Amino acid sequence: SSSVAAKILQGQFKDTNVSGLHFVSGNQSGTTNNTGSFNYEEGKNITFSIGGVTLGTTLGKALLTPIDLIENGSSDNIAAQNIARFLLMLDSDGYAGNGLQISSAVQAAAVTWPQIDFSAANFSQNLTTTMVAASAADGGTHILPDATTAKAHLESTYTCNYSGIFNGSFN
């Protein structure tokens, strides 16, 4: 019998660059670096998590955002907005403009966190304990942004990532 080696590709998780996300795709696993980069096996799903909290699973590809983690996701989807809110809240310096960095202390503390329902109507109340735990872990101030801020952030990131140079004739 013969086995075919999996083709390993590199992708990037963007809600701006997100570092500190755990990923698993086939036999590939690790933590996203400061550019949000990860390895995935071609044709396999990839799952992103922070400690005990799974953000979602989708087919691996070169560029992934919180929107991709939700079936038929869009910036209007509550679960996509709440994933973005969660990531923004966990950022170590609270400034998304320089990327989102989830500190190693928060990553370690998150191992004991229960799964979060990102589609819950009472999402912000469910995160009270998590915000306190994140602040205790790294000494930072972790504030949950509102859904309007998260939606604007998702749309800004999406527009930035998918805009580009177009060639040819069009009207």
Side-chain angles (χ1 to χ4, degrees):
S1 73
S2 64
S3 64
V4 176
K7 185 173 181 181
I8 309 304
L9 301 172
Q10 189 171 62
Q12 201 172 23
F13 191 92
K14 289 277 207 176
D15 185 29
T16 73
N17 294 337
V18 181
S19 67
L21 286 179
H22 181 71
F23 65 86
V24 176
S25 175
N27 290 319
Q28 301 299 303
S29 66
T31 304
T32 57
N33 65 18
N34 62 346
T35 64
S37 295
F38 57 85
N39 293 329
Y40 67 99
E41 290 187 16
E42 183 176 43
K44 299 265 182 158
N45 282 341
I46 186 163
T47 300
F48 292 96
S49 62
I50 301 166
V53 180
T54 299
L55 302 180
T57 300
T58 190
L59 185 63
K61 63 181 186 176
L63 179 63
L64 292 170
T65 71
I67 292 171
D68 296 303
L69 300 178
I70 306 300
E71 188 174 344
N72 301 316
S74 75
S75 63
D76 291 321
N77 185 282
I78 298 299
Q81 291 173 9
N82 285 339
I83 291 170
R85 292 172 73 192
F86 181 68
L87 293 172
L88 288 163
M89 182 271 297
L90 291 178
D91 184 29
S92 62
D93 67 2
Y95 176 64
N98 62 359
L100 303 179
Q101 297 89 28
I102 301 166
S103 71
S104 56
V106 167
Q107 293 172 44
V111 170
T112 62
W113 295 352
Q115 180 59 41
I116 294 170
D117 179 1
F118 289 103
S119 61
N122 59 346
F123 181 72
S124 59
Q125 288 111 357
N126 292 344
L127 283 188
T128 304
T129 304
T130 303
M131 287 187 287
V132 170
S135 294
D138 67 4
T141 303
H142 295 276
I143 299 170
L144 186 67
D146 62 24
T148 303
T149 301
K151 180 179 178 180
H153 184 73
L154 284 169
E155 290 173 351
S156 173
T157 299
Y158 191 86
T159 301
C160 182
N161 287 318
Y162 289 102
S163 64
I165 299 171
F166 298 91
N167 220 345
S169 300
F170 49 93
N171 53 31

